[in-house]
Amino acid sequence: MIIDSLTKDISLVSAEDCLIIPDVHGRDFWKDAANRFPGNIVFLGDYLDPYPLEGISPDEAFTNFQEILSFKKANPDRVTLLLGNHDLQYFSKAYSLYSKSNRYSWKYAQLYEDTFHENSQLFQLAHTLAFPESEVLFTHAGVHSCWLHQHPYLLPEVSAEAINRLLDTEEGIVALTECSKIRGGDYPAGSPVWADQREMIHSEPIEGTYQIFGHTMLEVPVITCTFACLDTQNVYAIDPHLKINIIK
């Protein structure tokens, strides 16, 4: 698993590849590549709650989020919208009750909650794509083996379907709020919306599965033989040979 030392123009990306949009937080870096790409696109979550120092207002972030929703509705079969920890604060009342809040917007919370409620069917926690060399599992923050061991009854198998079912029960939603000490929590490992790249390095690999996630903001991507953390405000593409490129 390598990343090209040179970036690749979107016009050179094959439709057999998958475009990956890491944490948005109100930014519009996704637009050009996504609007020009004809294949599968996966957004890794965290659409709202912009970073104050980046100068993106909540109104601008919400407008950007509406554009992402419209893009999904126009391309329902090839665009996947994952949920991140920031999204679940507004997506689920139960999650908001039990979670460690992170830049929660009290002023805009009702608007965000209403928008997620009206569009809940557009979102999921996990997504898989089957490539010849491996299955690729997309989540917001990564599935840590220690977190899996803590929830054998909730997740008897590691699959996108099983992870997505966590939203169906309060027990599953509470498990999603778990955050490790690296992120200021009390658990040995974080959930698929809270795990940190630094703890994922020590996770046991999932047999036959390559993981791609964001959540941990980085200057350069971290790409190993078992996972890729891509939260760098860049668009990426993964090809059928599991080669990852930065897209411009």
Side-chain angles (χ1 to χ4, degrees), residues 83-85 88 91-92 95 98-100 125 147 151 154-155 162-179 187 189-195:
L83 291 163
N85 57 304
L88 282 169
F91 185 89
S92 166
Y95 181 92
Y98 293 107
S99 72
K100 173 182 178 291
L125 287 169
W147 182 82
H151 303 287
L154 282 176
L155 288 149
I163 296 169
N164 287 327
R165 285 196 296 270
L166 293 173
L167 292 173
D168 297 336
T169 65
E170 184 170 347
E171 184 181 8
I173 290 171
V174 171
L176 289 171
T177 68
E178 294 179 4
C179 177
Y187 293 88
S191 79
V193 297
W194 267 113

Side-chain angles (χ1 to χ4, degrees), residues 114-163:
D114 290 345
T115 303
F116 274 113
H117 178 73
E118 293 165 4
N119 297 280
S120 61
Q121 75 282 0
L122 303 181
F123 296 92
Q124 56 199 75
L125 287 169
H127 180 65
T128 54
L129 286 176
F131 288 117
E133 296 186 21
S134 178
E135 183 174 78
V136 177
L137 174 64
F138 300 90
T139 58
H140 176 64
V143 181
H144 197 289
S145 57
C146 181
W147 182 82
L148 285 172
H149 295 156
Q150 293 168 198
H151 303 287
Y153 300 107
L154 282 176
L155 288 149
E157 60 178 6
V158 184
S159 68
E161 292 78 9
I163 296 169

Side-chain angles (χ1 to χ4, degrees), residues 14 24 34 54 60 87 115 122 128 140 143 149 157 191 195-196 203 215 217 241:
S14 168
V24 173
E54 293 186 8
E60 290 170 330
D87 310 314
T115 303
L122 303 181
T128 54
H140 176 64
V143 181
H149 295 156
E157 60 178 6
S191 79
D196 191 281
S203 175
H215 183 58
M217 190 163 62
H241 303 291

